[in-house]
Amino acid sequence: MSTTAVAQRLQSIWETPKSVWGWFATVDHKEIGIRYLVTAFLFMCVAGVEALIVRVQLARPDQALMSPEMYDQLFSMHGITMIFWYASPILSGFSNYLIPLMIGSRDMAYPRLNAFTYWSFLFSGILVYVAPFMGQAPHAGWFSYVPYTLYSYSPSRGMDFYAMALILFTISITAGGINFITTILKMRAPGMSINKMPLMCYSTMTMSFVGLFGMPALTAACIFLELDRRWGTHFFSPAAGGNPILWQQLFWFFGHPWVYIVFLPATAIVSMIIPVFSRRPIVGYSYVAVSTMLTGAVGFSVWMHHMFTDGMSDMTMSFFSAGSMMISIFTIVQIICWVVTMWKGRVVMTTAMYYALGTIAALVVGGLNGVVTGIIPLDWQAHNTYFIVGHIHYVLIGSNMFPVFAGLYYWYPKMTGRKLSETLGKWSFWIMFIGFNVGFFPMQIVGLLGMPRRIYTYPAGLGWSASNMIETVGAFALGIGILLSIINFVYSRRFGQIAGKNPWNADTLEWDLDSPPEPYSMVHLPTVITRHPLWDNHDESADPNDERILDNGRLTYITTWLDAKVVSIAKMPEETIAPMLLALTMALCLLALCFQLVYWACGGFGATLLVAFYWLWPREKGEEAL
Amino acid sequence: MTTNTIAPNRGSKFIPTALPLDDTRGIWAMWMVVATEAALFVCLFGAYFYLENNKDRWTYNTPPAEHWGWGMLGALIVSGFTIWLGDRAVIRQAYLRARALLACTLLLGLGFLIMEGFDYASHWATLTPYSNSYGSIFYTIESFDALHVIVGVLILGYVLAMPRYAPARRAPYRPYRVAAIYWYFVVIVWIAIFFLLYVMPNLRIYGF
Ligand code: HEM
């Protein structure tokens, strides 16, 4: 068969029907990955606007643009949206889109589950954004400490929505993690043994495992919260033997590993980009891989550093302080590997590389002030001040937002077929970078001067006013920088330079495909013999006898997890609307629970089960193929 | 760098017929579901002991009555065996036997739920979820377990209703094995709950 005939055949097998039904039913990882990226980016824009309103309120002392309650809701929604519905999903978007292409597979291991994770992520986000229209948004910060969040202090439904939306969200993240783990361990191209897979796989796998063991703590905490709020139990009320600190323990047992979920895949983006633009393999591949995994593991033993001011034994304090210091070592290892890679290579300064360098700069600052906060006497002073707000933004913007932008500039050509404008990109970078530093560096100073976080205003004459004005100006500059990039995304979609297959001369397999890739990704499933498939002289898709086409249905290889020998062939499912329905019925069930509508909730649960059974029921159609 | 090629897969031109069809992904997924569910129960147990911490002889004075618990334990352990035998029967292609054993497992699961109802009733006289934090966590753990058994029973019922167990060429590939893994988990969770929430407090009476 000629290649075009094969390609046409594959196209007809893998293509999603272009109809409304197909739009809702698609299971294509590329489509889902892009949806993840776009949705999470929109959440980021909403949360960014919320933050800017917060900054306007704080710009001058004694301002009263809004009520204190309004302020609480705004900064809470800002934190919740950024942490949950932007920072992690956007990375899932990258991983969803890229991992199968990087490892030479035609889809994720569970395509339908993949669709489900997207829909449940979307619906959980909608659920939390419904709350403001039902009277009140969550208003207790992103970690919602009890007792303030119990019924007596927060009687309206905002906190119920918080708890229920997060339960759906944990389901989404867990399902996504299961999918990534199986994909990475079972679907790698023949020959891509575990020590040859791209670093992105290590970080995605680590964050998936962390999710598997970390998310249940959040689920348990949210369930306890809801039971205490509405169903009369006593988990958190000391009068009846409960303990409010239980919330903190559970939340941070989830919360600190979560920090690594939003951090590790982002560092992996940097680890993918820096070698390409230093024109050499990364220095210390194994060190980066191992420190990634260790970060994930040790990340489970630092959670109490969020609670130093609660009071605890010296032993506990020392343990968690030491744990927090130790974890910085693994990050330092990664940073050193990046720097040495650049040092030993020949650096090409593209926009993506600018963002990667911005990451390193911000991460070092954020990391350093993180380490000092791990020192207990300092933490006692800095806790709950703007020093912490400065710290989290240095790490979150530094090690999540900048890498995300680096990733967008780097992979946009692959996703759309056109390059982003480099000039506009560099402008955007510099404005973002300067705005970010102007906006957040002074926070650390006012924090040390004693300005507490989460206050809606402050009197003049405390020495905070000038810094706060500067912070607001910086925040708006950051916003303008982001806006420039958004303009770039829209503009280059139509007018960008045509990218071709491999505009950056990069080394990983996704750059061997068309931009954007066909629904079937590749005609010949690739084989791999080194870590840098496109930089060695082995032809990945060489297949003279057409043995690796697999065009008898939606098929791809299953390989052994360690050394990637082909053991079997996986059959991939067709489009189905069941994942979306399942996410919808779950969301409705949880929505009913927000209002304590027991019968409706039971109805929703029943509907969820029915959809699940419909999803899993064996069907004869398609049995004959293969 | 060397250029060596990957040996063609089993030398066949038409790979699909030479390689088996993958039927392991569902099993992997279920193992991971079990792992994360286990983590959930660890959190619940953690909360139980955390709440007990610093309390004045929390459950020591009135440990929960165990008698129904023993019955439930027996039922579940037997059911673990029946489904294990059933899974072996599927492998040996004795599908009728597998179905019968699955039905037994399902009945034992239902028996467990009925006994759990009586167990609830026996505690309810002296303790409710609203009495104190002990009642709250005790009933929450119990109800979570009940929920898992209910879901387990539904899964078993679903597999029982499936038309055939012979190797499939389309998902779900090995529903019986997947259901069995979940059921083993349900059994183990009850063993843990029974030991931690029933047996240990009762044993501790003798410590004082
Ligand atoms: C557009 C740029 C941003 C600005 C101007 C901004 C501004 C702020 C400000 C002023 C606060 C403190 C509110 C208070 O304590 O009263 C805050 C809190 C917070 N921000 Fe941002 N932020 C931005 C981006 C981000 C990003 C990208 C993330 C995460 C990925 C993030 C996560 C958080 C979190 C978790 C909090 C804590 C909320 C709480 O106290 O519960 N922010 N932000």
Side-chain angles (χ1 to χ4, degrees):
Chain A
M1 257 194 287
S2 75
T3 314
T4 42
V6 174
Q8 269 165 12
R9 199 167 137 71
L10 285 169
Q11 175 82 17
S12 67
I13 292 173
W14 285 88
E15 204 177 22
T16 307
K18 287 197 177 53
S19 60
V20 178
W21 178 84
W23 198 84
F24 284 109
T26 183
V27 291
D28 180 355
H29 74 99
K30 295 181 280 292
E31 180 65 32
I32 294 171
I34 289 181
R35 282 185 198 176
Y36 253 113
L37 290 173
V38 172
T39 315
F41 202 89
L42 290 178
F43 274 122
M44 191 268 278
C45 295
V46 173
V49 171
E50 286 158 358
L52 291 181
I53 302 176
V54 162
R55 276 316 325 166
V56 172
Q57 161 69 18
L58 290 178
R60 282 184 297 148
D62 295 318
Q63 285 220 108
L65 293 176
M66 58 185 90
S67 65
E69 174 59 34
M70 181 74 192
Y71 181 88
D72 290 352
Q73 296 183 21
L74 271 174
F75 84 73
S76 302
M77 286 304 274
H78 162 69
I80 293 168
T81 315
M82 283 290 193
I83 286 272
F84 293 111
W85 281 278
Y86 155 72
S88 161
I90 197 136
L91 301 173
S92 303
F94 279 112
S95 300
N96 250 316
Y97 189 91
L98 293 167
I99 296 267
L101 304 182
M102 277 182 179
I103 63 175
S105 159
R106 283 195 177 131
D107 207 327
M108 300 276 285
Y110 314 109
R112 291 175 297 182
L113 189 67
N114 205 17
F116 168 77
T117 58
Y118 171 73
W119 291 112
S120 48
F121 148 65
L122 176 68
F123 292 145
S124 64
I126 292 178
L127 202 56
V128 81
Y129 267 92
V130 168
F133 301 100
M134 299 281 172
Q136 194 191 32
H139 65 165
W142 76 281
F143 41 79
S144 298
Y145 274 6
V146 293
Y148 182 56
T149 45
L150 294 180
Y151 181 74
S152 19
Y153 306 104
S154 305
S156 63
R157 304 212 178 266
M159 295 320 300
D160 300 313
F161 277 94
Y162 171 91
M164 292 301 137
L166 279 185
I167 289 175
L168 188 55
F169 184 76
T170 58
I171 295 173
S172 164
I173 292 287
T174 312
I178 291 174
N179 210 343
F180 285 130
I181 293 173
T182 314
T183 307
I184 293 169
L185 290 182
K186 281 177 93 76
M187 319 267 295
R188 295 194 313 272
M192 186 186 273
S193 53
I194 203 149
N195 59 341
K196 293 194 191 100
M197 64 186 192
L199 285 167
M200 185 111 172
C201 298
Y202 276 102
S203 65
T204 305
M205 195 168 71
T206 309
M207 75 104 172
S208 305
F209 273 111
V210 170
L212 231 47
F213 295 110
M215 303 309 288
L218 179 64
T219 316
C222 286
I223 289 169
F224 291 169
L225 178 66
E226 190 60 17
L227 286 175
D228 258 21
R229 279 176 58 78
R230 300 283 175 183
W231 304 95
T233 56
H234 302 287
F235 291 102
F236 304 124
S237 45
N243 189 344
I245 308 291
L246 174 64
W247 169 269
Q248 301 188 16
Q249 297 281 10
L250 285 173
F251 189 89
W252 290 118
F253 185 75
F254 141 80
H256 206 87
W258 181 257
V259 171
Y260 298 108
I261 292 185
V262 306
F263 164 74
L264 287 175
T267 60
I269 293 179
V270 178
S271 301
M272 301 299 295
I273 289 175
I274 284 189
V276 168
F277 294 119
S278 305
R279 296 273 166 262
R280 57 152 296 138
I282 191 158
V283 172
Y285 170 96
S286 331
Y287 293 102
V288 176
V290 171
S291 58
T292 302
M293 290 187 289
L294 284 175
T295 311
V298 179
F300 278 102
S301 62
V302 301
W303 81 94
M304 293 227 332
H305 72 204
H306 295 271
M307 302 162 55
F308 282 149
T309 48
D310 282 359
M312 58 184 87
S313 72
D314 286 353
M315 190 59 212
T316 321
M317 278 195 292
S318 325
F319 180 84
F320 284 98
S321 179
S324 316
M325 310 254 161
M326 182 159 85
I327 208 151
S328 65
I329 296 174
F330 308 130
T331 307
I332 294 168
V333 170
Q334 295 204 38
I335 294 180
I336 290 178
C337 290
W338 298 335
V339 172
V340 178
T341 307
M342 288 187 285
W343 190 355
K344 291 276 172 192
R346 293 203 9 235
V347 178
V348 186
M349 290 305 285
T350 57
T351 310
M353 194 63 174
Y354 272 92
Y355 278 104
L357 292 176
T359 302
I360 299 185
L363 184 56
V364 169
V365 177
L368 279 177
N369 62 24
V371 173
V372 296
T373 343
I375 301 167
I376 288 153
L378 194 134
D379 181 82
W380 286 342
Q381 295 302 314
H383 186 80
N384 229 4
T385 67
Y386 261 81
F387 186 82
I388 300 296
V389 180
H391 159 68
I392 54 176
H393 286 89
Y394 263 90
V395 275
L396 282 171
I397 296 187
S399 71
N400 183 293
M401 205 181 222
F402 284 157
V404 162
F405 274 80
L408 288 173
Y409 275 88
Y410 180 64
W411 280 297
Y412 187 91
K414 182 53 50 189
M415 296 174 186
T416 62
R418 287 176 188 271
K419 281 168 100 169
L420 288 165
S421 154
E422 288 282 302
T423 327
L424 200 52
K426 283 172 187 163
W427 272 97
S428 165
F429 167 77
W430 280 116
I431 294 175
M432 273 174 79
F433 188 73
I434 293 170
F436 158 65
N437 281 296
V438 171
F440 291 92
F441 198 84
M443 286 194 184
Q444 309 178 32
I445 297 166
V446 283
L448 292 179
L449 291 179
M451 178 165 169
R453 72 195 273 201
R454 299 175 174 171
I455 48 167
Y456 110 102
T457 191
Y458 51 93
L462 295 173
W464 305 343
S465 314
S467 307
N468 268 295
M469 192 45 140
I470 297 174
E471 285 162 22
T472 302
V473 172
F476 273 89
L478 175 59
I480 292 170
I482 296 175
L483 200 62
L484 283 184
S485 273
I486 296 177
I487 294 171
N488 201 351
F489 299 149
V490 177
Y491 170 83
S492 305
R493 187 84 188 78
R494 289 281 301 278
F495 306 108
Q497 189 190 337
I498 301 285
K501 278 190 174 184
N502 191 355
W504 314 118
N505 247 321
D507 58 336
T508 37
L509 281 177
E510 78 271 25
W511 299 106
D512 205 14
L513 314 175
D514 292 341
S515 310
E518 303 294 342
Y520 52 87
S521 299
M522 52 286 254
V523 175
H524 301 276
L525 287 165
T527 58
V528 172
I529 59 168
T530 63
R531 258 176 215 164
H532 309 282
L534 304 193
W535 285 351
D536 61 21
N537 48 15
H538 163 79
D539 183 0
E540 283 63 41
S541 50
D543 184 18
N545 300 329
D546 282 352
E547 281 164 358
R548 301 196 310 273
I549 293 180
L550 304 193
D551 60 347
N552 300 38
R554 293 195 172 180
L555 305 174
T556 189
Y557 285 134
I558 294 284
T559 52
T560 53
W561 69 274
L562 201 58
D563 40 32
K565 294 212 171 79
V566 183
V567 283
S568 54
I569 289 182
K571 195 163 154 109
M572 294 300 182
E574 293 84 37
E575 288 74 26
T576 153
I577 200 147
M580 194 206 59
L581 288 180
L582 191 72
L584 191 65
T585 48
M586 277 186 175
L588 291 178
C589 174
L590 290 166
L591 181 67
L593 282 177
C594 288
F595 292 93
Q596 293 84 50
L597 301 170
V598 180
Y599 293 111
W600 283 93
C602 288
F605 187 66
T608 307
L609 287 173
L610 284 182
V611 177
F613 287 166
Y614 163 74
W615 175 341
L616 291 171
W617 193 252
R619 292 178 186 79
E620 303 289 319
K621 179 176 156 281
E623 286 248 341
E624 31 344 303
L626 183 86
Chain B
M1 244 167 261
T2 54
T3 16
N4 56 339
T5 45
I6 304 262
N9 299 302
R10 313 218 175 159
S12 86
K13 185 159 160 46
F14 194 53
I15 294 173
T17 50
L19 286 165
L21 200 61
D22 171 64
D23 58 0
T24 57
R25 278 169 295 158
I27 295 172
W28 275 53
M30 186 44 92
W31 277 117
M32 284 186 264
V33 169
V34 165
T36 178
E37 292 276 11
L40 179 62
F41 275 96
V42 168
C43 291
L44 294 178
F45 293 141
Y48 175 88
F49 288 109
Y50 192 77
L51 288 173
E52 180 183 40
N53 197 7
N54 298 336
K55 297 280 151 38
D56 189 22
R57 293 162 65 91
W58 192 20
T59 60
Y60 296 179
N61 297 325
T62 47
E66 300 173 64
H67 48 281
W68 284 110
W70 283 109
M72 290 149 82
L73 186 69
L76 270 197
I77 289 184
V78 174
S79 76
F81 271 110
T82 49
I83 193 137
W84 178 69
L85 290 174
D87 191 32
R88 288 192 0 154
V90 171
I91 293 170
R92 295 191 187 140
Q93 303 186 336
Y95 300 126
L96 212 57
R97 177 133 55 94
R99 234 175 248 276
L101 285 161
L102 188 65
C104 290
T105 316
L106 193 128
L107 289 178
L108 286 163
L110 286 177
F112 175 91
L113 284 174
I114 292 170
M115 283 191 268
E116 179 141 30
F118 283 111
D119 189 47
Y120 257 76
S122 78
H123 300 308
W124 201 270
T126 50
L127 182 77
T128 69
Y130 320 113
S131 328
N132 52 31
S133 65
Y134 173 67
S136 303
I137 187 74
F138 180 81
Y139 281 101
T140 303
I141 294 182
E142 295 275 296
S143 311
F144 256 74
D145 182 62
L147 200 65
H148 279 80
V149 178
I150 291 173
V151 170
V153 164
L154 286 169
I155 295 178
L156 295 181
Y158 167 82
V159 176
L160 194 62
M162 282 179 72
R164 62 193 173 93
Y165 296 158
R169 316 204 70 188
R170 267 184 71 102
Y173 295 102
R174 300 179 62 183
Y176 204 107
R177 168 63 61 85
V178 173
I181 295 172
Y182 185 79
W183 195 257
Y184 299 144
F185 168 70
V186 169
V187 175
I188 290 173
V189 164
W190 180 253
I191 296 177
I193 293 177
F194 185 62
F195 181 73
L196 295 176
L197 267 59
Y198 290 74
V199 175
M200 255 171 54
N202 278 296
L203 281 182
R204 275 194 297 204
I205 300 180
Y206 304 109
F208 290 94

